[in-house]
């Protein structure tokens, strides 16, 4: 089964099991002139479940930082999401290696990359931000830091991830970077105080080269927040997003007056202009500004994102795209 199809089917099944608030497929660019606070926006249909957990924090007047951490942990712990946390597609050696980053309203940030055996890398990223003078820890160092701070070393494989790797190993073919193997969750939240934070977490590209790290833990690529202006998150091919530092670009474009929608569109257009082949690859952005407007844009029509507001509940939106 193609990966995205699998995810959408998984979500349909999950939607029957869990109580998901109203899910509407809304028209594109729906946030014009709306002033939403609190607000959560996250990538893909799996963002709906994550938004529910994040909303629990915001509705109790909690901090956006706590909301995004709690929200994306839902996706990290969901074994049916094969691109984030537990049950992610492994690398070509059969190891699940995870990347994550988090950024708060004070411009502080933390990240982990090439982290193995930890179910919730976003919480390790937060601990890097709060307990060390560093921004990113990688690989064995990140694992040792996590273990020293109370995280448990666990097997992140599921029967499905093992079976998929065995299947892939038979042919050992390089998996093309395509629509079906990039489904990172990025989440941005504005709390009742008007403060913005963001989180981004992924298992990265299926059957990637060992050691490959994508955009998700790179501040300014997979995630960027400036509490004066807004925030942006990415999903899609990290190699393209890193070459254009898409989320930092979006925040700077918003600083210069663009709406979140227009800024996301410009960042996608920049990728298409500057990176050969970007037009054939999935590259998607979400963004919010300080006023509570939100937007999204992608290279193709596959991208959906989830938005939770007081007025409209938890809704799924289809993003506009270049192609
Ligand atoms: N956007 C996730 C990755 O490329 O790893």
């Amino acid at each position: 089964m193609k990966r995205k199809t699998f995810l959408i089917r998984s979500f349909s099944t999950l939607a029957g099991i869990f109580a998901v608030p109203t899910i509407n497929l809304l028209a594109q660019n729906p946030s014009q002139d709306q002033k939403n606070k609190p607000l959560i926006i996250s990538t893909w249909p799996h963002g709906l479940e994550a938004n529910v957990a994040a909303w629990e924090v915001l509705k109790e007047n909690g901090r956006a930082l706590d909301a995004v951490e709690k929200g994306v942990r839902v996706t990290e712990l969901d074994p049916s999401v094969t691109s984030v946390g537990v049950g992610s597609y492994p690398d070509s050696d059969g190891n699940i290696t995870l990347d994550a980053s988090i950024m708060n309203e004070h411009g502080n940030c933390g990240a982990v990359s090439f982290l193995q055996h930890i179910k919730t890398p976003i919480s390790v990223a937060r601990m890097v931000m709060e307990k060390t003078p560093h921004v990113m820890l990688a690989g064995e160092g990140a694992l040792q830091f996590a273990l020293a701070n109370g995280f448990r070393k666990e097997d992140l494989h599921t029967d499905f991830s093992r079976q998929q790797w065995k299947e892939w190993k038979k042919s050992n073919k390089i998996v093309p970077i395509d629509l079906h193997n990039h489904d990172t969750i990025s989440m941005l939240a504005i709390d009742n105080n008007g403060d913005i934070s963001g989180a981004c977490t992924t298992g990265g590209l299926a059957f990637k080269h060992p050691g490959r790290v994508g955009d998700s833990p790179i501040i300014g690529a997979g995630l960027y927040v400036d509490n004066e202006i807004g925030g942006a998150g990415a999903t899609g091919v990290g190699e393209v997003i890193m070459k254009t530092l898409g989320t930092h670009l979006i925040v700077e474009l918003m600083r210069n007056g663009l709406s979140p929608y227009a800024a996301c569109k410009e960042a996608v257009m920049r990728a298409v202009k500057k990176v050969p082949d970007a037009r054939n690859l999935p590259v998607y952005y979400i963004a919010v500004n300080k006023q509570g407007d939100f937007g999204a844009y992608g290279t193709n029509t596959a991208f959906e994102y989830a938005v939770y507001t007081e007025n409209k509940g938890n809704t799924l939106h289809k993003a506009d795209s270049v192609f």
Side-chain angles (χ1 to χ4, degrees):
M1 193 186 303
K2 293 265 176 92
R3 190 177 201 207
K4 179 48 59 191
T5 313
F6 171 76
L7 279 177
I8 289 169
R9 286 194 194 159
S10 303
F11 176 75
S12 309
T13 313
L14 278 174
I17 297 169
F18 297 104
V20 180
T22 330
I23 300 166
N24 300 318
L25 208 58
L26 297 181
Q28 291 95 340
N29 192 22
S31 77
Q32 294 299 304
D33 302 324
Q34 287 177 354
K35 299 293 170 247
N36 299 305
K37 193 179 75 171
L39 167 73
I40 303 162
I41 180 169
S42 60
T43 53
W44 301 113
H46 54 227
L48 287 165
E49 288 292 336
N51 284 2
V52 172
W55 191 258
E56 291 293 314
V57 176
L58 295 188
K59 80 174 189 214
E60 299 298 329
N61 277 326
R63 194 176 164 200
L65 180 70
D66 294 324
V68 295
E69 181 192 9
K70 191 171 174 197
V72 303
R73 277 172 64 107
V74 170
T75 320
E76 290 180 333
L77 291 168
D78 183 345
S80 75
V81 179
T82 55
S83 49
V84 179
V86 176
S88 288
Y89 277 117
D91 68 11
S92 59
D93 282 346
N95 297 315
I96 294 177
T97 71
L98 306 175
D99 300 333
S101 63
I102 195 161
M103 195 158 184
N104 73 11
E105 71 272 27
H106 304 299
N108 290 330
C109 44
V112 288
S113 61
F114 197 63
L115 176 62
Q116 299 184 54
H117 306 300
I118 301 293
K119 284 184 168 176
T120 53
I122 197 66
S123 295
V124 185
R126 180 169 178 175
M127 222 169 250
V128 172
M129 173 175 77
E130 293 181 340
K131 288 197 166 188
T132 81
H134 311 304
V135 168
M136 188 192 293
L137 295 180
E140 185 61 23
L143 176 61
Q144 291 311 321
F145 172 77
L147 297 178
N149 283 282
F151 291 84
R152 288 203 355 242
K153 187 172 180 175
E154 297 183 78
D155 180 8
L156 305 186
H157 274 286
T158 57
D159 290 347
F160 183 78
S161 66
R162 270 196 202 87
Q163 179 239 324
Q164 291 291 302
W165 181 73
K166 280 184 192 147
E167 284 296 312
W168 170 80
K169 196 71 187 157
K170 281 184 205 158
S171 62
N172 218 11
K173 281 194 188 126
I174 291 174
V175 175
I177 298 174
D178 66 12
L179 298 182
H180 307 289
N181 50 24
H182 272 278
D183 303 294
T184 302
I185 184 159
S186 282
M187 176 182 281
L188 306 162
I190 307 178
D191 60 29
N192 272 317
N193 206 31
D195 287 327
I196 305 169
S197 290
C200 179
T201 176
T202 191
L205 178 64
F207 316 122
K208 61 200 174 190
H209 193 290
R212 183 266 187 189
V213 169
D215 60 300
S216 302
I218 310 296
I219 299 299
L223 177 72
Y224 198 72
V225 173
D226 180 332
N227 200 38
E228 280 178 37
I229 306 298
T235 175
V237 178
E239 281 71 7
V240 178
I241 296 161
M242 284 189 278
K243 284 173 188 168
T244 48
L245 284 182
T247 59
H248 184 262
L249 174 62
I250 289 166
V251 172
E252 292 311 300
L253 290 167
M254 292 194 293
R255 192 189 307 278
N256 289 323
L258 266 62
S259 69
Y261 174 87
C264 289
K265 182 174 181 179
E266 177 58 28
V268 170
M269 300 308 284
R270 182 77 60 89
V272 168
K273 185 173 169 203
K274 295 285 181 187
V275 183
D277 259 1
R279 61 173 49 233
N280 302 317
L281 297 171
V283 176
Y284 314 111
Y285 294 112
I286 54 172
V288 295
N289 65 15
K290 192 71 175 168
Q291 290 71 44
D293 300 311
F294 60 87
Y297 209 80
T299 44
N300 60 58
T301 57
F303 185 40
E304 291 174 331
Y305 60 103
V307 179
Y308 206 141
T309 62
E310 189 85 59
N311 288 343
K312 297 198 170 167
N314 201 11
T315 51
L316 190 63
H317 302 245
K318 193 147 185 63
D320 273 353
S321 63
V322 198
F323 303 110

